[in-house]
Structure formats: structure tokens, C-alpha cells
Amino acid sequence: HDEEFPPRILDHVMKNAIKGDVTNVIDVIDKYCWSVEIAMNVGDVKGAILDKSFLEASPKNVLEIGCYCGYSALRMSRLLKEDAKIFTIEASSQYADVAQEIISFAGMEKKVQILRGLSDEVLPTIAEKCGVRTFDFVFIDHAKELYKRDLIMLENLGLIRQGTTIMADNVIFPGCPDYLEYVRNSPKFECTNYPSKLEYCENREDAMEKSIYLP
Ligand SMILES: Cn1cnc(CNC(=O)c2cc(-c3ccc(F)cc3)cc(O)c2O)c1
Ligand SMILES: [Mg+2]
């Protein structure tokens, strides 16, 4: 992926969006990605699916794995209830820098905390670091080959509880076959598939998978 997208989207947001208006920042990013260049944000179409599951869960503690430029963190932050918080893990410090700027520009810096590092290095200490026992909602959108490993880590570390909602992006494209096989064959997860399109594309299939943890 073009490493130079993040600075360009940040510059575009700073010049074209309304400071403190999270809905407008989201809209400006989507319009840019539809018209100028595609980015790997979850986007507006799959974002609406994420929104709906997020509202149904009405979570207090939210975990995102894969922040990128902060787009999905912004989408969720605008739907957060009082005293709820989003913790988002990002391995790339370049992406984390841009995401922090965009999240702060949108006025959501108190609701979203970016944790810099690899997910398997951050997860073991996230509970004490963030003062969270378990997460109520998890959005997985990072390297597709790490989805399964990290879900198993969440289970083993006791970071998810009875009823936690886990939403996974890109289960068709780029795809995460081992993750899908794992959650759909596990008695501990109730899965629902949401067919959609790849972000900012009209003719490429993708889907989101919702898995409710029922140990
Ligand atoms: C470097 N990096 C920063 N974030 C990540 C993790 N995300 C992805 O890889 C990712 C990739 C694609 C995508 C891949 C190929 C293509 F042709 C079109 C789109 C879409 C997504 O929604 C994604 O989440 C990797
Ligand atoms: Mg994605």
C-alpha cells in the first residue's frame, strides 16, 4: 500500500474538514477516498454495518486492532455513550501519528486512546495499562493473517466476556480463511455474516463477520 497516503489524507482533512466536527471529518475522508484515491479504511458502506452492530452492543470498553488513519475509531467514537472509551492498537508509528492528528482534529482525543505496538506485544498488558478488565466490543481490521492468533489471545487473556461482540473486516477480501473457519466451527461463538463490498469499490465483494462470544 502506498505509504504516502496517510500524510495526504491528513493534509486533506486539515484543509477541508471542520475542526471538532467528527461527522464532517468522516464524510470528508469518504469523499476523498471515493474521488481521489482508495485507502484501506472500512469505508462508508461497511462502516454503516459496523455502526449498527456497535449501537446494538452499546459498549463501555471498546478495543480496535488496526487503527490505520483512525477512520473506524472516529466512526465508533461518534456513537460512544457517556464515559465509554475506545482503545486502538496500531503497529505502524507513521499511521499512529497520522491517526492521532486526525482524531484530535475531530475533537475525539479524550474518547480514543491509541496504543502503539504490535498486537501480540500490547495485548498481554492492556488490561492493567488501560484499567479495563474485559472489552464489550472488538473491531478487528489489521493484518489478515493475524486475526485468528489475536482472537485466541483475547480469549486466553480473558479480555473478552460472555456476550462480547467481535466484528471482523475483510472476511472475503483480502480474506482471513483461518479466522472464519475458527469462529464458525467454535461452539463459543455465534456468528453472523454481513455481505458487502470492498471499501470505495462498487464491483468487488467483501463482508464483515460478527461473532458473539458465548463461552
Ligand atoms: C499496512 N497495513 C495497514 N493496515 C493493514 C491492515 N489492513 C489491510 O491490510 C487491508 C487491506 C485492504 C485491501 C487490500 C488489497 C486491495 F487491493 C484492496 C484493499 C482492505 C482493507 O479493508 C484492509 O483492512 C495493513
Ligand atoms: Mg479493513
Side-chain angles (χ1 to χ4, degrees):
H1 276 278
D2 181 348
E3 293 296 315
E4 294 319 304
F5 167 77
R8 280 200 295 273
I9 192 61
L10 172 60
D11 187 56
H12 182 77
V13 163
M14 309 284 263
K15 286 180 177 149
N16 297 278
I18 302 156
K19 197 165 174 45
D21 184 338
V22 63
T23 304
N24 174 257
V25 171
I26 291 164
D27 193 41
V28 163
I29 294 171
D30 284 326
K31 286 194 168 43
Y32 180 85
C33 291
W34 275 109
S35 59
V36 180
E37 56 175 317
I38 286 183
M40 47 190 170
N41 312 120
V42 72
D44 49 339
V45 178
K46 287 188 291 176
I49 299 167
L50 176 66
D51 289 356
K52 194 166 176 300
S53 298
F54 189 88
L55 287 166
E56 276 160 19
S58 170
K60 184 172 183 307
N61 297 314
V62 180
L63 175 66
E64 174 179 71
I65 310 180
C67 181
Y68 192 36
C69 296
Y71 175 90
S72 43
L74 283 183
R75 282 201 79 99
M76 295 187 285
S77 74
R78 84 197 201 287
L79 304 176
L80 271 179
K81 60 189 179 189
E82 194 58 37
D83 81 6
K85 203 158 174 197
I86 297 169
F87 299 93
T88 179
I89 299 172
E90 178 50 58
S92 155
S93 57
Q94 188 213 18
Y95 294 159
D97 288 347
V98 168
Q100 188 61 71
E101 297 251 18
I102 289 176
I103 287 161
S104 301
F105 182 88
M108 290 295 179
E109 67 284 353
K110 290 190 181 59
K111 299 232 169 226
V112 179
Q113 183 172 344
I114 301 175
L115 305 170
R116 292 158 182 260
L118 294 167
S119 50
D120 60 335
E121 290 171 2
V122 170
L123 286 174
T125 57
I126 198 168
E128 67 211 301
K129 278 226 178 78
C130 302
V132 166
R133 214 168 44 75
T134 56
F135 291 100
D136 309 306
F137 190 93
V138 182
F139 180 49
I140 308 177
D141 190 22
H142 63 326
K144 311 311 158 196
E145 65 275 12
L146 301 181
Y147 281 29
K148 177 183 173 182
R149 180 201 71 178
D150 289 352
L151 179 63
I152 292 168
M153 264 188 100
L154 290 173
E155 286 183 73
N156 293 343
L157 291 166
L159 287 171
I160 51 179
R161 48 100 179 147
Q162 175 123 2
T164 293
T165 299
I166 297 122
M167 281 297 278
D169 189 26
N170 310 116
V171 301
I172 301 289
F173 185 87
C176 48
D178 60 337
Y179 173 85
L180 268 193
E181 195 265 338
Y182 178 75
V183 281
R184 290 177 177 174
N185 295 336
S186 163
K188 293 177 286 180
F189 295 97
E190 282 289 316
C191 297
T192 310
N193 186 263
Y194 298 89
S196 186
K197 296 278 186 248
L198 183 66
E199 54 264 27
Y200 313 115
C201 290
E202 249 121 19
N203 48 19
R204 190 181 278 275
E205 309 293 304
D206 190 14
M208 305 262 273
E209 186 88 356
K210 180 172 83 175
S211 305
I212 310 279
Y213 187 51
L214 299 165

